[in-house]
Amino acid sequence: MIKDFNHYVPVRVVFGAGKLNEAGKYAAKYGSKALIVTTGSFFKEIGLVDRLINILKESGVDSEYYHDVSPNPLSTEIDAGAELGRKTGCEVVIGLGGGSAIDAAKGMAIAMGHNEPIWDFCPAGPVVKQPTDKTYPIIAITTTSGTGSHISPFSVITNPETDQKPGMGSDFIYPRVGIVDPELMLSMPKEITAATGFDVLAHSIEAYTSKIASPMSDIYAEEAIRLVGRYLRKAVTEGNDLEARSAMAYADTLAGFAMSLAINTICHGLSHAVGGISGTVHGETLAAMTPHTMRFSMNQDPEKYKKIGLLLRDETCEQVISEFTPEDAIQEVEKLIKDIGLDIPLSKQGVEEADLERIADAAFEYMSGAFDLDLRTPTREDIINILRASF
Ligand SMILES: [Fe+2]
C-alpha cells in the first residue's frame, strides 16, 4: 500500500554546464529590472556578476547589484537590500551564490513586495506575518552544491539583535527558476565543497527519516545519498572534475526536492540555534551533530537507517546487506566526515560550553517544528545530550 502524500515543488530547474547563459531569457519573463544579490563582493571581483549583468542585458533586463550579505544573512542586510530594490524599481530578485545569497534574495523578495521589515515574517517573534502573492519572483543561481535553497521554499535569516536564526517556509518563496550550472562550481574551495556537500547528505538523511517522508521524497533522498557517497570525496579532492561537480550539483537538487517535501528534523533544527548563537558554518555544524542525531533516532526505523549506509557505499553484495546494521550506517557517515576533513567537534567551531543550555532553549523556542518531524521526539535533556556528544 502506498503511503498518502502531497507533492508540490513548483520550480523550473535549468540544469547543465553553461546554463548561466540562459538567465536573461528566464528573468525577462518576470520583469525588466532585476536585483542581483550575492554574499560579499567575491563574484564581482572575479567577473561573474558582470557576466550575469551582460547576460541579462542581452534579454533586455536591467539590473541593480547588492552584495552586503553575511554568510548567515542578517535581517538588517535584507531590509537594506529590499530598500535598494524598491527604490530602483526592481521586479525580480536573483540570488547568485550559495544558500546565503539565495536565502537573502528570498527575504528581499518578501520585504520588497510587502514593504515591511523581513523580521516580521520570521517565525521567532510573538506575531508572525505570512508572505503573500505580493512577494516578488525569485530566480536562484546556485554556485555551491549544498544548500538546496534553489529548490526549497525555505529561507534562514539571523536577527543580529537577538542571535535568533529561524528557518521560515512559504510557498511564495519557491524560486520560479533554479539555474544549476556545474561550471560555476569548479572553483569552489575545498572547505566550502566539503561543508556544502555534507549539507546535501544531511538534507537527504533528515528528509528520508522524517515522519512525513513519502514514497516520492524517498526516491529523491535515496539517489542523493548514493551520489554523495560516490562523488563527494572526489569533488573535495579534485575540484576541477566536472563529472564530480555535476553529480554533486544534481545530488543537491534532488536533496532540495526531498527537503521541500519531507522537511528536516533534529539536526537541522538544532543547527540553526547553534549557528544563531555561535556563528558557526552550517555544514560543519551538521557534520559534528549528524552521527549523534542518527544514533538518537535509529531504532525508530532501523531498516531506513541501515539503508543510508548501504546507499553511501552503493552496496550490492547480498552478504554485506544482510549483516549490515544502523550503527554500521552511522560509521559510514563518520568515515565520510573524516575523509572530507569535517571531523571538527563543536568546541573547535567556536561554540562555548557555557552556551549549550541557551542553544537548546533557542532551538525549542523557534525550531521545535523540526524536532516534531523526527521519528523520535527529543526532550530538552535529549538535546543537551546530543550537543554534549557533538561538543
Ligand atoms: Fe542545510
Side-chain angles (χ1 to χ4, degrees):
M1 180 84 173
I2 301 292
K3 187 180 168 189
D4 296 359
F5 66 88
N6 182 327
H7 188 289
Y8 180 71
V9 188
V11 182
R12 178 187 299 279
V13 182
V14 182
F15 185 99
K19 292 293 179 188
L20 177 68
N21 295 325
E22 297 183 14
K25 179 174 96 180
Y26 292 105
K29 286 179 194 272
Y30 301 107
S32 57
K33 190 162 189 183
L35 177 65
I36 299 170
V37 182
T38 66
T39 306
S41 56
F42 175 70
F43 289 141
K44 176 76 178 160
E45 285 154 24
I46 64 165
L48 186 59
V49 171
D50 289 335
R51 187 179 153 205
L52 176 59
I53 288 172
N54 287 330
I55 290 168
L56 295 173
K57 219 176 254 168
E58 280 168 20
S59 295
V61 178
D62 286 335
S63 49
E64 282 293 330
Y65 174 48
Y66 183 80
H67 62 77
D68 212 357
V69 176
S70 305
N72 287 323
L74 304 179
S75 50
T76 45
E77 297 164 343
I78 288 167
D79 289 337
E83 180 65 17
L84 173 70
R86 231 183 341 253
K87 269 191 185 155
T88 54
C90 292
E91 296 166 310
V92 49
V93 188
I94 301 180
L96 170 69
S100 313
I102 298 171
D103 283 8
K106 289 172 173 175
M108 287 174 206
I110 295 172
M112 272 167 70
H114 298 80
N115 202 4
E116 287 178 88
I118 191 59
W119 195 248
D120 288 1
F121 297 88
C122 295
V127 182
V128 182
K129 292 176 188 163
Q130 293 303 317
T132 69
D133 61 3
K134 289 181 182 171
T135 306
Y136 277 70
I138 299 148
I139 294 179
I141 303 172
T142 179
T143 62
T144 63
S145 295
T147 65
S149 188
H150 59 301
I151 303 297
S152 82
F154 308 122
S155 173
V156 182
I157 293 166
T158 300
N159 184 328
E161 281 169 26
T162 64
D163 289 341
Q164 289 168 310
K165 186 187 172 189
M168 71 149 92
S170 163
D171 283 354
F172 293 103
I173 54 173
Y174 272 115
R176 305 292 173 95
V177 185
I179 296 178
V180 191
D181 182 343
E183 278 180 4
L184 302 180
M185 295 150 199
L186 291 173
S187 57
M188 198 189 342
K190 247 184 190 168
E191 297 72 26
I192 299 180
T193 305
T196 53
F198 191 82
D199 197 14
V200 175
L201 183 63
H203 293 153
S204 310
I205 291 173
E206 292 175 53
Y208 193 51
T209 56
S210 151
K211 264 182 200 155
I212 56 168
S214 71
M216 287 194 79
S217 64
D218 281 357
I219 286 177
Y220 294 121
E222 286 181 358
E223 182 61 0
I225 294 169
R226 197 185 65 80
L227 288 166
V228 168
R230 190 159 174 195
Y231 289 102
L232 178 54
R233 289 174 178 88
K234 195 168 192 189
V236 170
T237 54
E238 294 171 47
N240 57 2
D241 185 296
L242 190 59
E243 187 192 344
R245 290 295 193 186
S246 176
M248 281 308 300
Y250 180 48
D252 177 27
T253 301
L254 293 173
F257 276 93
M259 165 175 69
S260 300
L261 295 168
I263 328 290
N264 283 159
T265 56
I266 296 178
C267 200
H268 261 78
L270 195 44
S271 76
H272 285 219
V274 175
I277 288 172
S278 309
T280 52
V281 175
H282 180 60
E284 290 181 3
T285 305
L286 294 168
M289 301 194 302
T290 291
H292 305 292
T293 51
M294 286 180 77
R295 255 180 213 114
F296 176 75
S297 306
M298 66 183 183
N299 291 332
Q300 307 301 310
D301 191 343
E303 282 309 307
K304 263 197 160 172
Y305 275 88
K306 200 174 120 174
K307 187 101 183 266
I308 292 165
L310 292 169
L311 286 162
L312 277 175
R313 292 168 60 128
D314 211 357
E315 186 63 65
T316 53
C317 172
E318 282 301 326
Q319 199 187 338
V320 176
I321 292 172
S322 67
E323 290 170 4
F324 210 72
T325 66
E327 179 56 33
D328 291 333
I330 294 168
Q331 287 175 17
E332 205 59 44
V333 172
E334 288 175 326
K335 196 161 159 277
L336 176 67
I337 290 170
K338 269 209 176 86
D339 289 348
I340 60 173
L342 283 190
D343 190 14
I344 314 166
L346 294 181
S347 57
K348 294 208 171 125
Q349 294 183 29
V351 177
E352 300 290 337
E353 196 169 4
D355 282 336
L356 296 186
E357 304 268 341
R358 200 174 139 223
I359 289 169
D361 290 338
F364 275 101
E365 188 193 326
Y366 59 83
M367 289 306 297
S368 62
F371 293 171
D372 293 340
L373 289 177
D374 202 279
L375 293 173
R376 184 177 171 195
T377 308
T379 62
R380 188 176 180 282
E381 195 188 345
D382 294 329
I383 290 299
I384 293 283
N385 288 339
I386 288 168
L387 284 168
R388 287 205 187 285
S390 314
F391 189 74

